[in-house]
Amino acid sequence: MSRLRYLLAFGVTSFAFALAAQGQDVRPSPASAATASRPAALADFDAYVDATRKQFDVPGIAVAIVKDGKIVLEMGSGVRKLGESAKVDAHTQFAIASNTKAFTAASLAILSDENKLDMNDRVVDRLPWFQMSDPYVTREMRVRDLLAHRSGLSLGAGDLLYWPATTYTTKEVVQRLRYVPLTNSFRAEYAYDNILFAVAGLVIEQVSGKPWADFVHDRIFVPLGMTESQTHAPESIGPNDDIATGHAKFDFKDLKPVAPMSWNNNPSAGGIYSSVHDLSKWLTMQLDGGTYKDGSGKEQRLFSEKRQAEMWSLITPIRIPEPAVPELKSARPNFSGYGEGWFVSDYRGHKLVWHTGGWPGMVSRVTMVPDLKLGIVVLTNQESGAAFQAVTMRALDAFTDAPKTDWIAAYAAGVKKAEGNADDSMKKHEAARMKGAKPSLPLDGYVGTYRDPWYGDVKVSKQGGKLSMTFSKTAQLSGTLEPWQHDTFIAHWTDRSLNGDAFVNFSLDPDGKVREVRMEPVSPLTDFSFDFQDLRLVPVEK
């Protein structure tokens, strides 16, 4: 998934540059300790990565750069978990989240090359029970459409079915698509989603006869020698496991570790853990046109050049916003869009093929410059898009002879503005609030079970003289309801790492009974995957 609204907003147009570091804590991989192959512009790269990490409060960062089929560097900076001494290195595994989408696209490419499916196949011909909320879209949805974010769904639609983790199965998630509203015309414009990658994963399983996780392991990880990759998030992390722990700023302020999330009901959208060492093999194969060397040194092919060209071709155009701050102007692309599991844009005359990923406590970016045969991987264990963008941009500049730019200051300005906008938003809410306005009903009048067609049941109960709200399928979405004004409350989730508090508005009928409940995030910085605004909760008759 793409974690955080401001991460998405800056994902295409903003990057940062780190200043010289002091007190470095950097661990190059033994295989890449020599720096002779680095361009002169990357002579201070280790210090730069460490400075970026410290500037944006990231406990650990891992980076790999490949060029012309060779590893330029592999390195780690910082620690796997705050308060512990274990260091991040090139072999430390991180959740790569939505960077998984390219593996799902590659899996479909493999099956297409084997003539087991066609990317223009109708989804209903593969999954006869598949259904969208519109019959036309159901009938016309093609396999390629599942990968291109142009279905007519809204941004992050349906994400609450699996984010935070729920008890639904993947098939149950997809079956509920028939109730998720469309907010735009089919193939009309870009809106990022995760749920259709769950459909893509089920298509892979139907065609191949294997679970998605087994297919990716057997047909991609094993051939490429990706022994430091797994398709399920670890339930727990032991002291000897070289796996990073995610970190988040609880209530947008206090940086703390977050519990690992196991996500098995939409893994094809974001379920892979990997290291930069392994992902350098993935990018080398991609930059070599789908080919790789097997254990004996013989060249093999994972997928055809034709299929790779289609994955890297722009299918869905993306509007390019003006930079949030003037300092980011030179990072603004001339074109931007989405292909099959990859974003496509440009920088300084070079086409970029890239993706970002976000997970509780971890965000990352994978970038390729095909005409330079350049690949860059940045994995982090904190929810700071500024950090991975900073490192990526520094590496891009080094290989494109770009003028030296103070990106760290530029991105810091962008983050400051985003946070300021969030503060302004809350001030506007406060100004519009009628102080002292009490709920229209006794608290017992709001108690009950409410049902949304696509999510399911949400319960409001009264405990100790206060209201609480619990999402029946989502253990983490449980908290108290604080009266705001009239029939509007704020849901404060017990898990403060979520940063997803929401306004809850109870609409009453003429007789003073609750007719409907609507929700929306309080902060504009809340992850777009908390798609509360799409819920239409109505009382369940007793």
Side-chain angles (χ1 to χ4, degrees):
M1 294 192 181
S2 288
R3 181 79 166 154
L4 305 177
R5 287 181 187 272
Y6 63 89
L7 172 69
L8 183 74
F10 288 106
V12 175
T13 63
S14 62
F15 304 88
F17 182 92
L19 303 175
Q22 296 179 353
Q24 302 169 39
D25 183 8
V26 179
R27 305 183 75 205
S29 165
S32 60
T35 58
S37 60
R38 298 190 191 188
L42 285 183
D44 63 346
F45 192 71
D46 292 357
Y48 158 78
V49 172
D50 199 52
T52 303
R53 181 179 61 78
K54 293 175 180 177
Q55 173 67 30
F56 297 107
D57 297 325
V58 181
I61 298 178
V63 186
I65 300 176
V66 297
K67 178 78 169 72
D68 298 322
K70 297 180 180 179
I71 295 173
V72 173
L73 67 84
E74 290 181 331
M75 59 167 290
S77 173
V79 296
R80 301 177 205 161
K81 184 178 181 180
L82 279 178
E84 298 184 2
S85 60
K87 307 297 185 183
V88 167
D89 61 23
H91 304 282
T92 302
Q93 294 181 40
F94 294 74
I96 69 169
S98 283
N99 286 299
T100 299
K101 289 180 169 65
F103 287 82
T104 296
S107 298
L108 289 169
I110 291 169
L111 293 170
S112 177
D113 282 336
E114 294 173 350
N115 295 317
K116 293 180 179 177
L117 63 75
D118 189 290
M119 296 301 292
N120 290 316
D121 286 347
R122 298 194 310 164
V123 175
V124 289
D125 290 335
R126 296 296 178 178
L127 304 174
W129 50 268
F130 169 79
Q131 189 175 336
M132 300 285 286
S133 63
D134 183 288
Y136 172 79
V137 179
T138 299
R139 185 177 67 251
E140 293 302 319
M141 182 77 72
R142 309 292 165 147
V143 172
R144 176 174 286 107
D145 293 316
L146 301 175
L147 308 178
H149 306 300
R150 59 177 185 173
S151 65
L153 291 167
S154 63
L155 174 65
D159 280 359
L160 283 172
L161 290 169
Y162 37 79
W163 177 290
T166 71
T167 56
Y168 286 116
T169 66
T170 304
K171 186 172 183 179
E172 286 173 334
V173 165
V174 174
Q175 286 174 326
R176 287 179 171 270
L177 252 176
R178 70 189 64 185
Y179 305 116
V180 179
L182 298 179
T183 58
N184 205 349
S185 298
F186 184 44
R187 299 180 184 145
E189 62 180 55
Y190 169 86
Y192 192 90
D193 77 80
N194 292 291
I195 196 166
L196 292 181
F197 277 82
V199 183
L202 294 181
V203 169
I204 291 167
E205 294 182 358
Q206 185 273 331
V207 174
S208 70
K210 286 186 175 183
W212 172 87
D214 291 349
F215 188 92
V216 170
H217 176 270
D218 297 346
R219 301 299 302 274
I220 299 179
F221 292 170
V222 171
L224 298 184
M226 296 178 66
T227 58
E228 298 169 4
S229 301
Q230 54 183 306
T231 52
H232 294 289
E235 295 287 352
S236 61
I237 299 173
N240 298 320
D241 295 331
D242 195 353
I243 299 174
T245 295
H247 298 78
K249 291 194 172 183
F250 287 51
D251 290 310
F252 298 109
K253 294 182 295 185
D254 301 321
L255 187 65
K256 300 177 185 178
V258 298
M261 185 177 88
S262 182
W263 191 27
N264 297 322
N265 54 1
N266 193 358
S268 45
I272 291 176
Y273 266 61
S274 190
S275 67
V276 297
H277 178 73
D278 263 14
L279 290 171
S280 67
K281 301 174 184 179
W282 166 246
L283 289 192
T284 298
M285 177 276 298
Q286 294 275 352
L287 292 164
D288 285 342
T291 64
Y292 64 96
K293 298 290 179 61
D294 63 19
S296 65
K298 183 178 180 181
E299 184 173 288
Q300 304 288 349
R301 179 168 289 283
L302 198 71
F303 46 70
S304 65
E305 288 184 286
K306 178 178 182 294
R307 283 296 307 125
Q308 184 185 61
E310 291 177 354
M311 285 187 278
W312 288 5
S313 294
L314 192 155
I315 296 174
T316 308
I318 299 175
R319 294 191 182 100
I320 302 172
E322 288 299 319
V325 292
E327 294 91 334
L328 299 171
K329 185 176 180 180
S330 61
R332 188 177 188 269
N334 294 296
F335 71 89
S336 179
Y338 203 89
E340 296 175 6
W342 292 102
F343 286 99
V344 183
S345 62
D346 72 312
Y347 179 64
R348 296 192 178 277
H350 299 278
K351 177 181 178 179
L352 302 183
V353 179
W354 59 281
H355 216 288
T356 57
W359 197 252
M362 302 193 204
V363 294
S364 56
R365 176 164 171 159
V366 173
T367 307
M368 292 179 288
V369 188
D371 67 329
L372 298 180
K373 293 196 73 175
L374 171 67
I376 304 159
V377 184
V378 186
L379 308 179
T380 80
N381 62 352
Q382 207 267 76
E383 296 174 353
S384 170
F388 70 65
Q389 301 283 32
V391 176
T392 299
M393 197 56 164
R394 178 68 176 85
L396 287 173
D397 281 354
F399 289 92
T400 56
D401 298 321
K404 190 172 183 178
T405 304
D406 188 352
W407 290 107
I408 200 169
Y411 212 163
V415 170
K416 183 178 180 180
K417 182 172 182 179
E419 293 173 345
N421 289 343
D423 290 340
D424 290 343
S425 174
M426 195 61 206
K427 289 176 182 177
K428 290 179 181 178
H429 286 306
E430 288 282 4
R433 181 185 186 186
M434 182 178 292
K435 303 299 187 293
K438 296 181 179 180
S440 302
L441 305 177
L443 295 186
D444 288 335
Y446 302 99
V447 171
T449 298
Y450 299 88
R451 183 167 295 157
D452 173 79
W454 60 266
Y455 175 81
D457 290 355
V458 174
K459 296 183 179 180
V460 175
S461 58
K462 183 181 174 184
Q463 299 174 351
K466 295 182 179 180
L467 293 180
S468 63
M469 173 174 273
T470 302
F471 279 60
S472 61
K473 298 291 185 177
T474 314
Q476 285 177 275
L477 287 182
S478 178
T480 60
L481 292 182
E482 174 197 356
W484 177 252
Q485 64 175 340
H486 306 302
D487 299 303
T488 299
F489 297 72
I490 293 181
H492 295 288
W493 310 118
T494 302
D495 185 343
R496 304 310 297 160
S497 73
L498 297 177
N499 293 322
D501 288 355
F503 287 115
V504 181
N505 180 258
F506 293 84
S507 176
L508 307 184
D509 66 17
D511 296 325
K513 303 293 185 181
V514 177
R515 185 204 316 256
E516 184 183 59
V517 181
R518 296 282 189 97
M519 299 178 66
E520 62 181 84
V522 171
S523 172
L525 297 181
T526 292
D527 188 330
F528 69 77
S529 287
F530 291 106
D531 50 330
F532 298 123
Q533 68 280 353
D534 289 336
L535 296 172
R536 300 293 182 267
L537 294 160
V538 298
V540 176
E541 293 185 9
K542 298 179 181 179

